[in-house]
Amino acid sequence: MSEEKKNLSTTYDPSQVEEKWYEYWNSQGYFHAEPNAEKESFTIMMPPPNVTGQLHIGHALDMTFQDILTRWKRMQGYEALWVPGTDHASIATEVKVVKKMQEEEGLNKEDVGRDGFLERAWKWKEEYGGRITKQLKKLGVSCDWQRERFTMDEGCNEAVKEAFVQLYEKGLIYQGDYIVNWCPECKTTLSDIEVEHEDKPGKLYHIRYNLKDSDDYIVVATTRPETLLGDTGVAVNPDDERYQDIIGKQVIVPVVNREIEIVADDYVDSEFGTGLVKVTPAHDPNDFEIGERHDLEIIKVIGDDAVMTKAAAKYEGLDRYECRTQLIDDLKSAGLIEKIEEHDHSVGQCYRCDTTIEPLVSKQWFVAMDKLAKPAIEAVKDGDINFVPDRFSKVYFNWMENIRDWCISRQLWWGHQIPVWYCQDCDEVIVRTKEPAKCPKCASTNLKQDEDVLDTWFSSGLWPFSTLGWPDNKEDVDYFYPTDVLVTGRDIIFFWVARMIFMALECKGEIPFKDIYIHGLVRDSEGRKMSKSLGNGVDPIEVIEEFGTDTLRFSLITGNTPGNDIRYRPERVESSRNFANKLWNASRFVLMNLEDFDLEAIDYGDLNYTLADQWILSRLNKKINQVTELLEEYQFGQATQELYDFVWREFCDWYIELVKPRLYQQENSVDRQTAQYVTWFTLDNILRLLHPFMPFITEEIWQHVTAKEEESLMVSHWPEADSLVTNNQAESKMELVMDVIRSIRNIRNEMKVNPGRKITAILSSEVEGKLAVVEEGKDYIADLANIEELTISKEVAARPEQASTAITSEIEIILPLAGMVDIEKEIARLEDEIKKMEAEIKRATGKLSNPGFVNNAPDHLVEEERRKKEEYSAKKVQLEETLASLKG
């Protein structure tokens, strides 16, 4: 191996390698994918971050999962495509741009007009969308930047218009006056899932409504008394015996003195309040449906700005809450308040600005969901689409089976303008993908496009295929679609996942992805959700600048389980940094001992594999299988833990120590050459296995370690297990040898024997096979336990005085430590060991005395307990003999 190859710097500095390798990978086109008949495709669509924000720790987790999968599949030989992009986030972006205009220019939207506002919005997108892209690259994401998309780019816009027209022509998009969620601050409709509900303290007002032409009255309870100004009915449950005699009668709405009818409707809960419900169709979604069933009038008394309308009579112009206060005073003065109770109730708030939403009747565009929901539900039930973990399918079903028609129009300027034109001369409604030149009905050119834009999630719902060029780019769509897996958080199953499924099935006739990997949220070390108000957020870029990208990625993935939230702990980041340093230092050691290593010159038939070689190769082989299977099951956290344990404990702590004597041989013997090959081969495969998780440090090391002229680790092949290499016997033997070494080291440590001082050891066992293994591994034992004189025998004729003893794997270890140890301390240690054995014997005896265990447990478990009891009993006897010799 050349001098340049082996020259790895003393310490690992992420800042020196990360930008270098990322630019190299990207410039070489390794991230790019094209249809390739010789390869099977693997496709992931990046959940597009909003252009309003910046990368947060949740993004870092989400992107790391996707990058692991993409790098792994690329190394497996797939044509791996990961499409990046950003979302225009209509409401969020518009709010930000409006605020910036007001602060910097003192202007609002109306001052600059639609075109002026959109010009500013696009500038915002270029600035902040670019910031997100730069931050993603810092994370090492290997997505295809040549295919980067934006939900409002030309291609996605064409797809949105095509989908809208298709759904409209099938009768699945319609316009109508319906109750919607209205944000008075953002001045737009919101879908049900864009309304966040929070329980807040309030009051329940019990108000008297006088019966027409009678001195009698009824009492109606409400949390929103200001809406009574728009009451057009009172409803009771048809089975409520208390009110059978008043159904169909007229009552008088207080203050406005409107006559309204008492109707019977199954919606009413007889147990709530008085069992009588005021019906205000213009300001409550349930009241709206009651009103439709009973043909009640719709009277809008609260306007789009949350100010009372002309229909509110003398309260016109008041804010809704000012109106409430004044109205209650008036009702009290009129003696119409029965009582007022404290009452906690759910309040809907805008998910962007936290303003309390107002249900209003408004003319909007809707997607009819009945037909779309059914195939989307069946696709998951039939297993065409799989949630990982499966429990999230229940969340999906619960929402999809109770879904309402989707309001898709938004009263905003930033977004996909609805492709509908209205003829100003004949009221014809024209739905086209291209702007019409004239009205098809009357030939008028006096046309006006609908001013509203589409809900952000309409375009996001097309993301899996719009980003591939649908409906025009047939080659890419045919090759890369449907995609393989969607990686996303559990918080947007409703917002995004469901919409992609039903939009894909309707527009493409195919599922959008096969698997949906749902991960949890990143919380702080105390389990709290990260937020600005708590000041507990973590900036991933700051972590990267201090510790490096690989350290952040590895710390986020380790211990992660599908669907569950994780806690961000600084000590975990420290641990991952230590792991990176351990890998680096081990690699430096390997390289320093490969200066004359020549892979091409090796005669594999002459190699002389020792027990340690056979053991590490077998363990590596199993680890390749294990990590591959874990990735296939999306068990990322377990995969990293397995790699951590193998690299740190088995390769670094054991094999490197075991192989040193052979590597240090001066002559180029077969033994040394074998040691070099096995060490190189193991490290090479470790780097391949770790690369999807820690791409930068593995690439940097691999460029020094690789003995082949391959361009990059990220386009090298993923390791494949070889059943011929698996050697369970070698593993069993090595485990016994390591147990003996560990026991000797433990005694030396407990007895405070100087680590550099060589000692004498006696190993004894009545089991011939065990002695044979110890004999085979005696050089390892002597070297790693620092033993000068090692005796191995079936029997010990004369036990030395003042000796420390341990028993492991049916091997008795006797260490004559006369003059090196405190006899009283050794007696105390042995007494503790005997107590442990007595506790184990008692436990095993209890299990074996339990008929339920003996009769019902598998035979091998019962036999295992019997074996353990015998082993503990024999060990106790040996310890007692040693203790007696020390005391005697």
Side-chain angles (χ1 to χ4, degrees), residues 74-89:
R74 188 183 290 118
M75 291 176 74
Q76 282 191 318
Y78 289 81
E79 189 70 14
L81 172 62
W82 181 14
V83 178
T86 48
D87 190 357
H88 65 283

Side-chain angles (χ1 to χ4, degrees), residues 546-590:
E546 182 176 359
F547 294 100
T549 298
D550 293 323
T551 292
L552 174 64
R553 288 167 59 121
F554 205 77
S555 65
L556 288 174
I557 299 300
T558 303
N560 198 294
T561 52
N564 294 328
D565 292 349
I566 67 165
R567 295 190 180 191
Y568 178 86
R569 292 188 171 94
E571 57 267 28
R572 184 176 286 172
V573 180
E574 296 274 358
S575 175
S576 296
R577 191 262 309 275
N578 294 341
F579 176 70
N581 289 338
K582 185 80 169 179
L583 175 67
W584 185 264
N585 292 333
S587 301
R588 287 189 70 246
F589 168 80
V590 172

Side-chain angles (χ1 to χ4, degrees), residues 833-841 872 875-876 879:
E833 282 292 310
I834 290 170
K835 287 179 182 178
K836 290 178 185 176
M837 290 303 102
E838 288 172 343
E840 289 293 339
I841 293 166
Y872 298 142
K875 188 172 182 179
K876 177 174 176 285
L879 290 169

Side-chain angles (χ1 to χ4, degrees), residues 214-232:
S214 171
D215 293 333
D216 294 334
Y217 60 85
I218 63 172
V219 178
V220 171
T222 180
T223 59
R224 304 180 68 219
E226 64 276 10
T227 62
L228 72 76
L229 301 170
D231 284 357
T232 56

Side-chain angles (χ1 to χ4, degrees), residues 391-392 395 488-494 517-521 523 563-565:
R391 69 177 184 271
F392 286 102
V395 179
T488 189
R490 57 179 169 78
D491 52 335
I492 57 171
I493 292 175
F494 309 141
Y517 176 75
I518 302 291
H519 60 78
L521 305 176
R523 298 185 178 273
N564 294 328
D565 292 349

Side-chain angles (χ1 to χ4, degrees), residues 724-779:
L724 297 177
V725 177
T726 300
N727 191 330
N728 291 326
Q729 185 180 29
E731 289 188 41
S732 179
K733 287 180 178 181
M734 199 66 225
E735 191 57 46
L736 187 150
V737 170
M738 291 190 294
D739 280 346
V740 170
I741 295 170
R742 276 191 286 260
S743 294
I744 297 173
R745 285 174 168 177
N746 287 341
I747 294 174
R748 292 182 63 126
N749 184 55
E750 289 175 13
M751 294 298 101
K752 299 293 189 287
V753 176
N754 189 311
R757 185 169 184 175
K758 289 189 175 293
I759 62 172
T760 299
I762 302 169
L763 305 180
S764 175
S765 178
E766 295 181 356
V767 183
E768 292 286 350
K770 302 278 186 177
L771 282 181
V773 173
V774 172
E775 184 68 38
E776 186 176 356
K778 64 182 180 181
D779 289 342

Side-chain angles (χ1 to χ4, degrees), residues 27 48 139 164 279 399 527 544 647 665 773 874:
S27 66
L139 267 176
F164 185 96
V279 183
W399 190 68
I544 287 172
V647 173
Q665 292 178 8
V773 173

